[in-house]
Amino acid sequence: MGINPIVNNTDMNEAHRSIIVKILHQKGVCSRAEIAKITGLTQASITKIVSSLIDMGIVYESGIIKGNGNRRAIGLSLNTENNPVIGIKFSRHIYDVGVFDIGGRFYTQTETEFDITEDPRKVLDGIKAQVHAYLKEYKNTVAIGMAVPGPYLKDEGIIAIVSRMAAWHEINFLKEFENEFRIPFFIEQDANAGALAEWWFGGHEKPMDMLAYMLMGEGVGSGIIEEDRILGGKQGAASEIGHISIDVNGPRCQCGNYGCLELYSAAPVLLARAMQAEPRLFNKKGLKRIDEYNIIFREARKGNEKFRKLLREIAEYIAYGCVTLINAYNPDIIVIGDVLAKADELILPVIREKVRERVVEELYSQVKIVISKLTVDPTLYGAAAAATDRVLSNPSRFLNITQPSGN
Ligand SMILES: [Zn+2]
């Protein structure tokens, strides 16, 4: 990937280490024989590479397991706890900073709301201060990942359009952060990050070829993972489902297109319409944005017909997005996440019904459409997962090494 100069891996040992580390990351516990079987490498070379990983403190022997043909074998596991990663989610009104480890365990998180008209410097300094505070507490942190709204141009470090964020247009996120901390810093587009989190930690049935994640939050986007990898395109901005026209004669979008899906289905659109429909429910002072969204979902569940109708309409738009994803990518599964995932059963049946009406039956019958079950925001989780992904590609370079390796 373009922003990471290290992935161009010419060191065969390191490439093999990476493969083994990724297998352990996926499977949790594995024997040497199982790894040999999966990778096609010889037992002898597996033994050698595993010893170097054990020497580095990246892998440890975690006890006896049942190996091939029920033979007892020594289980190998990844030393996840010694290797925390920090994730940052930057969206249009909120930033979250969270601590995870490379095994995907969640430790802690803070959320801060900000006003888009604030001085960007103040917001950026706030993010940095929070990260520094966590780095002090989690001293072994190996990497930081940040998820930003798309389209994000990975080589330039610039968010191409961030609605109503004129002052932000000049901010180069990569330059801003990569020299601030002494550990590697990576940026990923928010929907791609969410897709990675769902792929690894979403609890979806494996094996699968392709997962599509649909981010339905402050913006609308999608991320596609095919066989462990983000489908990024030339500039990292592929699968921008939010900017697909659902009405070519619709209003102009900031991207230049007309009638973009985002204009009809992003969470703020729902909120604006809900406020218009029932202003009295929102006129309490000091309501946070997230509280306002929750009012909609709570009232809809209590039977508010105006809100239920609004949510059905939004669900239809989400369905149109799903139809495009199915026709463009033919994924195994579409996972819907972020703010609107909280509407869960209020929207899912409508989405499925509308998709069914508009997609060839042979395709519809093979795709699952679900709501994210992650308890931590997939984008925040994914920011950490994106950093983890880079780290696992070069384990000896990034992970906390307890003893110097022999090779
Ligand atoms: Zn657009």
Side-chain angles (χ1 to χ4, degrees):
M1 311 211 65
I3 57 167
N4 180 6
I6 301 124
V7 170
N8 189 0
N9 200 332
T10 50
D11 177 352
M12 194 50 101
N13 277 336
E14 183 69 349
H16 286 158
R17 277 187 212 116
S18 170
I19 292 167
I20 292 173
V21 163
K22 285 189 174 177
I23 289 170
L24 293 176
H25 187 248
Q26 281 274 327
K27 296 200 159 250
V29 188
C30 229
S31 71
R32 288 172 176 82
E34 282 174 286
I35 295 174
K37 207 172 156 191
I38 296 167
T39 57
L41 293 166
T42 63
Q43 280 265 19
S45 41
I46 294 294
T47 302
K48 197 166 156 242
I49 304 161
V50 166
S51 320
S52 79
L53 287 167
I54 291 176
D55 284 346
M56 292 177 195
I58 296 169
V59 167
Y60 67 100
E61 293 184 333
S62 51
I64 301 294
I65 58 166
K66 246 187 226 167
N68 289 344
N70 267 346
R71 289 223 307 268
R72 280 151 63 87
I74 298 169
L76 301 168
S77 298
L78 206 56
N79 185 358
T80 54
E81 277 166 46
N82 198 32
N83 293 292
V85 281
I86 289 178
I88 306 165
K89 174 187 177 178
F90 178 84
S91 71
R92 291 162 215 211
H93 304 276
I94 294 165
Y95 63 80
D96 290 274
V97 183
V99 183
F100 301 80
D101 66 28
I102 58 163
R105 189 178 313 169
F106 168 73
Y107 292 91
T108 182
Q109 166 190 3
T110 51
E111 183 167 288
T112 311
E113 288 200 11
F114 65 91
D115 186 339
I116 208 63
T117 55
E118 259 178 67
D119 177 7
R121 277 263 66 81
K122 212 178 120 197
V123 180
L124 294 171
D125 287 347
I127 297 174
K128 287 175 187 173
Q130 185 56 58
V131 173
H132 279 299
Y134 281 148
L135 286 174
K136 232 182 214 173
E137 197 176 334
Y138 297 87
K139 289 193 169 43
N140 288 336
T141 302
V142 286
I144 302 164
M146 184 180 205
V148 299
Y152 169 72
L153 309 175
K154 62 185 167 118
D155 295 333
E156 290 89 347
I158 285 174
I159 302 172
I161 20 163
V162 183
S163 314
R164 299 183 300 279
M165 292 171 85
W168 289 86
H169 205 75
E170 300 299 308
I171 303 286
N172 183 316
F173 279 75
L174 200 52
K175 276 201 188 128
E176 191 62 43
F177 287 96
E178 70 180 349
N179 297 320
E180 176 74 18
F181 311 106
R182 287 205 193 123
I183 54 173
F185 180 89
F186 307 106
I187 300 186
E188 192 50 77
Q189 191 162 316
D190 51 10
N192 288 345
L196 260 190
E198 288 293 342
W199 178 270
W200 281 353
F201 309 119
H204 309 296
E205 209 176 294
K206 295 260 179 90
M208 57 180 159
D209 296 312
M210 185 183 271
L211 176 146
Y213 174 69
M214 211 169 158
L215 181 150
M216 298 302 310
E218 294 288 316
V220 171
S222 66
I224 311 287
I225 307 292
E226 187 171 27
E227 289 165 0
D228 286 343
R229 296 188 71 86
I230 294 171
L231 202 122
K234 179 175 165 61
Q235 293 166 283
S239 69
E240 269 295 346
I241 192 91
H243 298 288
I244 282 174
S245 273
I246 54 165
D247 178 1
V248 291
N249 299 313
R252 187 103 198 247
C253 175
Q254 285 182 324
C255 73
N257 197 5
Y258 292 83
C260 290
L261 178 63
E262 182 170 279
L263 301 176
Y264 302 87
S265 60
V269 178
L270 170 70
L271 182 57
R273 294 182 63 192
M275 283 175 156
Q276 207 173 25
E278 298 271 24
R280 65 186 172 87
L281 289 173
F282 299 92
N283 57 18
K284 258 180 256 148
K285 266 213 173 114
L287 272 186
K288 287 190 166 179
R289 209 170 171 83
I290 199 73
D291 301 327
E292 295 176 328
Y293 289 132
N294 285 336
I295 288 173
I296 305 174
F297 306 137
R298 196 181 58 225
E299 292 296 318
R301 286 194 173 97
K302 283 198 321 210
N304 183 313
E305 259 318 310
K306 287 181 191 165
F307 288 177
R308 292 177 78 89
K309 184 164 170 280
L310 273 179
L311 284 166
R312 276 198 300 274
E313 280 176 42
I314 294 271
E316 287 191 25
Y317 289 123
I318 299 174
Y320 305 152
C322 290
V323 169
T324 299
L325 287 174
I326 293 167
N327 286 320
Y329 301 107
N330 187 205
D332 296 70
I333 186 167
I334 299 176
V335 186
I336 294 152
D338 216 289
V339 176
L340 293 179
K342 290 190 185 133
D344 201 348
E345 84 291 352
L346 296 166
I347 55 171
L348 191 57
V350 183
I351 297 171
R352 287 179 174 155
E353 182 197 318
K354 286 290 152 194
V355 173
R356 170 161 229 156
E357 283 172 18
R358 288 166 182 249
V359 165
V360 183
E361 177 56 31
E362 287 83 347
L363 294 180
Y364 179 78
S365 63
Q366 294 295 314
V367 63
K368 283 192 204 108
I369 302 174
V370 300
I371 303 279
S372 171
K373 291 284 171 279
L374 288 174
T375 47
V376 180
D377 183 318
T379 305
L380 177 64
Y381 214 139
T388 298
D389 188 34
R390 310 292 172 82
V391 163
L392 297 186
S393 299
N394 281 74
S396 68
R397 174 157 187 166
F398 290 135
L399 293 181
N400 285 303
I401 292 171
T402 52
Q403 290 167 33
S405 101
N407 350 328

